[in-house]
Amino acid sequence: MLSDRQRMILTAIVDDYVRSAEPVGSRSISKRSGVTFSPATIRNEMADLEELGLLEQPHTSAGRVPSNKGYRYYVDHLITPGGVSEEDVRKVRAFFAEKMLLWEDVIGHAATMLSQLTHYTSIVLGPEMFQTTLKHFQLVPLNEQSAVAIIVTSTGHVEHRTMPIPEGIDVADLGKVVHLLNDKLAGVPFHRVKSVLHSEVAEELARYVDRCQEILEVLEDSLAEKKDPRVYLSGAANMLTQPEFKDVDKAKLILDTLEETAALSKLLQPDSGGIQVRIGTENAMEAINQCSLITATFSLDGQNLGTLGILGPTRMEYGKVIGLLEYLSNDLAALIARRIK
Amino acid sequence: MLSDRQRMILTAIVDDYVRSAEPVGSRSISKRSGVTFSPATIRNEMADLEELGLLEQPHTSAGRVPSNKGYRYYVDHLITPGGVSEEDVRKVRAFFAEKMLLWEDVIGHAATMLSQLTHYTSIVLGPEMFQTTLKHFQLVPLNEQSAVAIIVTSTGHVEHRTMPIPEGIDVADLGKVVHLLNDKLAGVPFHRVKSVLHSEVAEELARYVDRCQEILEVLEDSLAEKKDPRVYLSGAANMLTQPEFKDVDKAKLILDTLEETAALSKLLQPDSGGIQVRIGTENAMEAINQCSLITATFSLDGQNLGTLGILGPTRMEYGKVIGLLEYLSNDLAALIARRIK
DNA sequence: TTTAGCACTCGACTCGAAAGAGTGCTAACG
DNA sequence: CGTTAGCACTCTTTCGAGTCGAGTGCTAAA
């Protein structure tokens, strides 16, 4: 357990270091308003905090820097529950007002906004279809060989996929199949679609439709195929403004990682709902062991609609970012809820 | 007009500099196989080439570097029409074989492949819908307030957009409208959709359908709205491997630019079909005045289907990239042609 | 016209000295 | 006993001088 003074000093060091990116010395802390003790006292406390593993020294005769453990303590116990600045609220409002018309792009634009507001990198995951239920689906024939499947999920997410039509299949037959499937599949979770197709639908369908086996097969491919959720990335270049990545090689390592959307989608996969903070080596991926990732899920009736993520250096404005993510994820959830009513 | 020897020297300098990123000295050229004259002779020629503005010297006592004008001459007159290596052909084949099933993502994946094959940054533009014609469109109602419009263009491109349903409109009415519109609008270029809706459709529709004015309005918004073509970016981090961008600030400038998709879409807009090379300051955007952009359009019956772009430092493997783009753009065009038959 | 020779230029690298920031320790103080 | 002043010490950063080496331009000879 830390004393009040130790907590105060740790807070000061984190705050200072986040701002300046330079090791924090005892003198600069003693000069803060509200500090009544001398640099020497602070040095003693700092030595104690270092022994506890909360601080580190880049080298003798440098100031102190928070360790990962230090950041963790800060986030868990010291953080000031950051409200969102009035200006940011205004920007968010303005943004949604403008972008609501192009609903398809709204999540992508949210990513852009996040990176602009925070000056960090934002990574946003769209809904993972596989975990939602099918609400409605429809086929629109394109030509002899292909059709577009439009899929609507219970969360109001719409997606289309082109699929091949087996040689010589009648369009009318397809229509019948789709009609029947909508009855059977509405409300079925995607991860069960495959088995439902096999167990319940196949036989009945076979009575009405020729060659239904072939039709079911292509439908399976386009409907039930597991796909990674869409990944929206924005502000990756913001990483380059951080002094910890002034070395191009380090920066390249991270930016390369950021281009692998599959890896990102795994990285953001939340353990649970709400806000999560992963500091430095707490992140599974080695390339971002110098970074912290803060994520927030937004959901509707317990169904996960997506994840907002902010990636920055471990030396990051945790309070501000957490506040913003909390605010924005609630906003987005509310927006989607209102939309599908 | 350059002498054969001058052309040979310029070629050697460009090739060497592209490989090494270091100013090329007379000595290193004279050592090349096939070179029969001494460094002194080459120095004389180099001085002449510099006077012509084709070469530059970073400072006295350094070797020579091609100027933008030098690259231009190289691209226009000296380039060896680069074939595509067998290995690359194999990779492209393998790639298409694998990705054809997920047709929706094929262009995006093509971008990824381009950046991986070239180690440069690839920027790919999807089809500009506004220049194609409408082939078919359909509405799928989502709930009381909204529907999805599926739009199919003559080039086989499919797109969906959510649109609001005006309060209290009958779904059956909507169906009628869509049916009628498909007759009227099929084959109409998108840039004329708006006027056709007004001039030809409006009156006739009014006879059958109540409140058709409101319906037409929302349709206009979702159908005829001009949207920038989709921009696919891949391999932006490759920029960081180039020694000319080892300075983080320069790199940041470029990466920032690369995040503005609207600007990119403008930048890639081709003057004409085929391959285009823009060297250094020939590019409109100041941030990439140290870069070259090579673009190739792929089209079908004269309709532009998209643009492949490779962005790299001016010190770029022009021959190889041009060859690859030529090959891939033809391939893509053929693929699309085969698909819509 | 080509080439050898040579003085010259200029960036890159190395080294050491000086400056400066911050510490840890000790001893004194209230 | 906690707090503080004082001080020696450590380590990085910065700067300039010196050296090295690559490459040039010029001149004179082949």
Side-chain angles (χ1 to χ4, degrees), chain B residues 291-339:
Chain B
C291 296
S292 285
L293 176 65
I294 306 181
T295 58
T297 57
F298 49 104
S299 51
L300 176 68
D301 304 332
Q303 278 194 313
N304 186 358
L305 297 176
T307 308
L308 306 176
I310 295 287
L311 185 73
T314 46
R315 185 187 59 73
M316 188 178 191
E317 295 186 79
Y318 292 95
K320 189 180 147 193
V321 171
I322 290 175
L324 183 62
L325 283 186
E326 225 154 37
Y327 174 70
L328 199 62
S329 59
N330 287 333
D331 231 35
L332 262 176
L335 218 56
I336 294 175
R338 188 161 4 122
R339 207 175 112 77

Side-chain angles (χ1 to χ4, degrees), chain A residues 236-243 245-246 251 255, chain B residues 240 248 251-252 255:
Chain A
N238 285 343
M239 279 293 173
L240 299 183
T241 59
Q242 303 297 342
F245 304 117
K246 69 175 191 307
L255 292 200
Chain B
L240 299 183
V248 178
K252 169 113 173 42
L255 292 200

Side-chain angles (χ1 to χ4, degrees), chain B residues 152-316:
Chain B
V152 183
T153 74
S154 55
T155 56
H157 177 69
V158 181
E159 200 164 312
H160 76 254
R161 298 174 181 182
T162 324
M163 50 173 269
I165 302 177
E167 188 107 13
I169 289 286
D170 187 16
V171 174
D173 275 0
L174 266 183
K176 272 194 238 166
V177 173
V178 171
H179 195 73
L180 212 148
L181 285 186
N182 260 313
D183 286 349
K184 293 283 183 187
L185 289 180
V188 172
F190 274 96
H191 62 265
R192 292 202 51 237
V193 162
K194 217 163 193 161
S195 68
V196 171
L197 278 181
H198 280 294
S199 62
E200 299 181 26
V201 184
E203 300 164 33
E204 189 171 345
L205 213 57
R207 269 181 266 150
Y208 303 105
V209 183
D210 280 351
R211 304 175 59 191
C212 90
Q213 194 54 43
E214 288 172 63
I215 297 182
L216 281 183
E217 231 161 71
V218 294
L219 280 177
E220 238 175 56
D221 282 348
S222 61
L223 268 185
E225 203 51 48
K226 185 175 170 79
K227 274 177 69 178
D228 275 337
R230 239 187 101 73
V231 176
Y232 301 86
L233 179 71
S234 177
N238 286 343
M239 279 293 173
L240 299 183
T241 60
Q242 303 297 342
E244 27 271 273
F245 304 117
K246 71 177 190 305
D247 176 16
V248 178
D249 292 332
K250 277 188 194 161
K252 169 113 173 42
L253 207 65
I254 292 187
L255 292 200
D256 275 342
T257 310
L258 289 179
E259 291 207 350
E260 290 176 32
T261 50
L264 291 188
S265 131
K266 223 173 254 154
L267 190 68
L268 285 227
Q269 230 37 267
D271 297 347
S272 62
I275 304 268
Q276 272 180 42
V277 183
R278 302 216 166 288
I279 296 165
T281 48
E282 293 171 14
N283 287 295
M285 216 171 291
E286 200 185 332
I288 58 167
N289 274 184
Q290 308 233 26
C291 296
S292 285
L293 176 65
I294 306 181
T295 58
T297 57
F298 49 104
S299 51
L300 176 68
D301 304 332
Q303 278 194 313
N304 186 358
L305 297 176
T307 308
L308 306 176
I310 295 287
L311 185 73
T314 46
R315 185 187 59 73
M316 188 178 191

Side-chain angles (χ1 to χ4, degrees), chain A residues 58 75 89 216 230 242 315:
Chain A
V75 169
V89 171
L216 282 183
R230 237 186 102 74
Q242 303 297 342
R315 185 187 60 72

Side-chain angles (χ1 to χ4, degrees), chain A residues 25-293:
Chain A
S26 54
R27 214 177 114 81
S28 70
I29 291 187
S30 77
K31 273 192 188 157
R32 292 191 148 215
S33 70
V35 175
T36 55
F37 19 86
S38 74
T41 313
I42 293 172
R43 280 205 289 281
N44 285 328
E45 297 283 28
M46 294 205 300
D48 290 347
L49 288 172
E50 184 167 359
E51 222 156 87
L52 290 171
L54 300 174
L55 294 181
E56 283 169 354
Q57 235 174 340
H59 54 266
T60 359
S61 98
R64 297 305 207 292
V65 160
S67 67
N68 283 354
K69 200 173 159 193
Y71 284 123
R72 172 49 68 195
Y73 190 95
Y74 175 83
V75 169
D76 288 344
H77 303 112
L78 305 177
I79 217 164
T80 53
V84 182
S85 80
E86 299 227 351
E87 185 172 342
D88 286 356
V89 171
R90 219 173 333 109
K91 281 185 189 163
V92 173
R93 291 264 159 264
F95 163 81
F96 279 132
E98 184 188 350
K99 301 296 183 189
M100 280 301 287
L101 294 175
L102 294 156
W103 180 255
E104 262 60 46
D105 305 327
V106 84
I107 294 191
H109 286 300
T112 310
M113 185 177 53
L114 265 180
S115 70
Q116 283 174 1
L117 288 179
T118 60
H119 303 294
Y120 296 120
T121 302
S122 76
I123 308 168
V124 176
L125 249 49
E128 182 156 23
M129 233 184 56
F130 212 63
Q131 293 184 344
T132 59
T133 64
L134 180 64
K135 185 175 158 200
H136 180 77
F137 102 107
Q138 184 146 357
L139 276 189
V140 179
L142 285 182
N143 55 23
E144 310 289 78
Q145 322 116 48
S146 51
V148 192
I150 290 104
I151 304 166
V152 183
T153 74
S154 55
T155 55
H157 177 69
V158 181
E159 200 164 312
H160 75 254
R161 299 173 180 181
T162 324
M163 49 174 268
I165 301 177
E167 190 106 11
I169 290 286
D170 187 16
V171 174
D173 275 0
L174 266 183
K176 272 193 237 165
V177 173
V178 170
H179 194 74
L180 212 148
L181 286 186
N182 261 314
D183 285 349
K184 294 283 182 187
L185 291 178
V188 172
F190 274 97
H191 63 265
R192 291 201 53 238
V193 161
K194 216 163 192 161
S195 67
V196 170
L197 276 180
H198 280 294
S199 62
E200 300 181 25
V201 183
E203 301 164 36
E204 189 172 345
L205 212 56
R207 269 181 267 149
Y208 304 103
V209 183
D210 281 350
R211 303 175 60 192
C212 91
Q213 194 54 43
E214 288 171 61
I215 297 181
L216 282 183
E217 231 161 69
V218 295
L219 279 177
E220 239 175 56
D221 283 348
S222 61
L223 268 185
E225 204 50 48
K226 185 175 170 79
K227 274 178 68 177
D228 274 337
R230 237 186 102 74
V231 176
Y232 301 86
L233 178 70
S234 178
N238 285 343
M239 279 293 173
L240 299 183
T241 59
Q242 303 297 342
E244 27 271 274
F245 304 117
K246 69 175 191 307
D247 176 17
V248 178
D249 291 332
K250 276 187 195 163
K252 169 119 174 39
L253 207 66
I254 292 187
L255 292 200
D256 275 341
T257 310
L258 289 179
E259 290 207 351
E260 290 177 33
T261 50
L264 290 188
S265 130
K266 225 173 251 153
L267 190 68
L268 284 227
Q269 229 39 267
D271 298 346
S272 61
I275 303 268
Q276 273 180 42
V277 182
R278 301 215 166 292
I279 296 165
T281 48
E282 293 170 13
N283 286 296
M285 216 171 290
E286 202 184 331
I288 58 166
N289 274 183
Q290 308 233 25
C291 296
S292 284
L293 176 64

